Amino acid sequence: MKYLPFLSAMILTIFLLSCQSGNQQKIKSADSTYLITGKIVGIDSGWVYLLHNSLDPSVTDSAKIDSGFFSFKGKTAEPEFCFLGIPNNGHKEYRLGFFVDNSKINIAGLKDSVAQASVTGSAIQDEYKKFLNERKSLDEEESNLDKVYETLQSKGDKIGMDSIEKTFEIVEKKKKELTKEYTKKNPSSYVAAFELFQSYAFNPELKDLDTAYNLLDTTTKNSYYGKKLKNVLEITRKTSVGSPAPEFAQNDASGKPVALSSFKGKYVLVDFWASWCGPCRAENPNVVKAYQKFHSKGFDILGVSLDDKKDKWQEAVKKDNLAWAQVSDLQGWKNSAAELYGVMAIPMNFLLDKDGKIIGKGLRGEDLDKKLDEVLK
């Protein structure tokens, strides 16, 4: 289980609230080539927000809700995946993900089930729904695993959690294969490009990602998600096993810069995490055990926090007994080291040898222990 920013309710809330403060984009109806109309039963007033291209706050539209009805007008250069967000008085916002193209789109739903609202009138959204229907059984299996994982986590059942994660990885592989087969049949599909990004961009294997990306035709490679995939591919080439680890330096809690190169001569784990990331905090005991077991043999860790609040970061360091070097630029998901390494989901780590070469990535639980046992005999 990983914390994925793409569907992060917390980040979405931040953008919704920032737009609510009055920084709303105005749209000229004369330029409109799509029209989105909708009604959410149970929400009579307030604001609804349309977030374009995932989480880019510079292209967020807003509209007033009048007796449950709302509308957006605009144009899009290509089909894009958007979020419809409705704030919920400081609680988890109501949200819906769907494709927008230049057509008349209608949304109809209920307050307590906005995520399941009906979206009609868009050809690409119809294609997306067909794809999701093909993947439905795997999504349901994954959802059930999430629920079991949360129950085991609440009980502190680490063995059970590890078992669920292994099963989760198997389901993820099946989803990747399904997406790849879909792309083979539909190389010009924007849905395919979107789903390839969703399936392959997080902790990617170079060969798999390269193969998947090259299934797209030239036009789709130049789409928004095609370009994002290419960027991930380029970063992956630089951070794949066998490559020299990219150098970086960030400040520790006292403001002292710590450079990755200062760890040369040791096996070092560059560990990306955050205090607010539940899966990271659940994994920390495994990392602590590895540190205690192998530190005397030449193993060290450099923790890189994707926090944006120093007090929360340091509180978690103390509570989880993280005795190794910790750094952060306190920029959250925009952490420069995370961007350098293409980290799009946490927890994520990279194991380096004494010369600073990457010899493992995404090692968790017993996999980390086994790898360290292998190289530190």
Side-chain angles (χ1 to χ4, degrees), residues 137-156:
S137 62
L138 292 175
D139 287 337
E140 289 177 345
E141 185 176 355
E142 196 169 82
S143 178
N144 291 332
L145 287 171
D146 279 333
K147 293 175 183 177
V148 175
Y149 184 89
E150 289 176 2
T151 300
L152 294 170
Q153 187 176 28
S154 67
K155 296 178 180 179

Side-chain angles (χ1 to χ4, degrees), residues 52-104:
H52 299 260
N53 289 337
S54 303
L55 300 176
D56 184 349
S58 67
V59 281
T60 300
D61 300 336
S62 61
K64 273 191 173 182
I65 300 173
D66 184 2
S67 300
F69 291 94
F70 60 87
S71 66
F72 293 95
K73 293 180 180 180
K75 63 180 180 179
T76 179
E78 64 180 48
E80 60 175 336
F81 192 82
C82 296
F83 278 110
L84 184 78
I86 306 175
N88 182 23
N89 297 322
H91 301 291
K92 183 177 180 181
E93 75 283 348
Y94 306 111
R95 69 189 190 279
L96 167 69
F98 64 107
F99 272 95
V100 172
D101 55 10
N102 292 319
S103 56
K104 292 182 179 180

Side-chain angles (χ1 to χ4, degrees), residues 248-260 262-263 302 326-327:
F248 69 89
Q250 288 190 5
N251 291 346
D252 63 16
S254 67
K256 178 183 177 182
V258 179
L260 177 60
S262 66
F263 289 83
L302 175 59
Q326 292 282 342
V327 298

Side-chain angles (χ1 to χ4, degrees), residues 113-376:
S113 57
V114 172
Q116 284 77 49
S118 169
V119 182
T120 57
S122 164
I124 191 168
Q125 177 64 14
D126 289 344
E127 179 192 346
Y128 182 53
K129 286 189 286 188
K130 288 180 180 178
F131 175 84
L132 292 181
N133 190 55
E134 291 179 21
R135 204 182 64 191
K136 184 177 180 181
S137 62
L138 292 175
D139 287 337
E140 289 177 345
E141 185 176 355
E142 196 169 82
S143 178
N144 291 332
L145 287 171
D146 279 333
K147 293 175 183 177
V148 175
Y149 184 89
E150 289 176 2
T151 300
L152 294 170
Q153 187 176 28
S154 67
K155 296 178 180 179
D157 186 349
K158 193 65 181 65
I159 295 177
M161 290 163 62
D162 289 343
S163 176
I164 291 296
E165 287 198 3
K166 295 295 184 184
T167 306
F168 188 88
E169 289 174 3
I170 293 172
V171 177
E172 281 293 295
K173 286 181 180 179
K174 290 180 180 178
K175 290 175 69 172
K176 283 184 177 182
E177 284 302 312
L178 187 151
T179 302
K180 189 164 66 174
E181 290 304 312
Y182 183 84
T183 306
K184 285 180 181 179
K185 298 175 184 177
N186 304 278
S188 62
S189 168
Y190 285 87
V191 171
F194 172 74
E195 286 297 331
L196 283 179
F197 179 78
Q198 291 293 94
S199 296
Y200 285 87
F202 305 98
N203 189 15
E205 294 294 333
L206 180 58
K207 184 178 179 180
D208 289 344
L209 179 58
D210 187 47
T211 299
Y213 172 74
N214 283 302
L215 292 174
L216 297 171
D217 68 10
T218 301
T219 300
T220 317
K221 283 180 178 178
N222 287 321
S223 69
Y224 176 80
Y225 280 103
K227 290 177 180 178
K228 286 179 73 71
L229 269 172
K230 183 179 180 181
N231 182 60
V232 173
L233 182 58
E234 290 173 349
I235 293 175
T236 304
R237 292 189 196 283
K238 299 175 183 177
T239 58
S240 59
V241 173
S243 301
E247 168 69 349
F248 69 89
Q250 288 190 5
N251 291 346
D252 63 16
S254 67
K256 178 183 177 182
V258 179
L260 177 60
S261 56
S262 66
F263 289 83
K264 278 198 174 181
K266 299 179 180 179
Y267 285 88
V268 59
L269 186 75
V270 183
D271 185 35
F272 292 92
W273 72 292
S275 66
W276 40 260
C277 167
C280 301
R281 303 295 295 276
E283 180 64 16
N284 276 344
N286 289 330
V287 185
V288 169
K289 288 180 181 177
Y291 182 78
Q292 293 173 341
K293 181 177 179 180
F294 296 101
H295 182 57
S296 62
K297 298 181 180 181
F299 171 63
D300 213 335
I301 302 174
L302 175 59
V304 183
S305 168
L306 272 64
D307 278 279
D308 57 10
K309 292 180 175 59
K310 183 178 178 180
D311 57 340
K312 296 294 185 181
W313 167 35
Q314 288 304 294
E315 182 182 323
V317 169
K318 183 178 181 180
K319 186 172 183 179
D320 291 2
N321 298 311
L322 311 184
W324 48 87
Q326 292 282 342
V327 298
S328 180
D329 59 12
L330 298 176
Q331 295 300 308
W333 280 110
K334 292 186 177 181
N335 182 287
S336 59
E339 291 183 340
L340 179 65
Y341 278 71
V343 174
M344 303 181 69
I346 52 176
M348 182 59 189
N349 59 46
F350 296 81
L351 181 63
L352 319 184
D353 67 10
K354 293 180 179 181
D355 297 318
K357 184 175 70 176
I358 298 172
I359 59 173
K361 57 190 294 188
L363 300 169
R364 300 179 61 182
E366 63 181 33
D367 289 335
L368 175 59
D369 192 270
K370 287 179 180 178
K371 186 64 178 180
L372 290 173
D373 216 17
E374 172 191 319
V375 299
L376 290 170

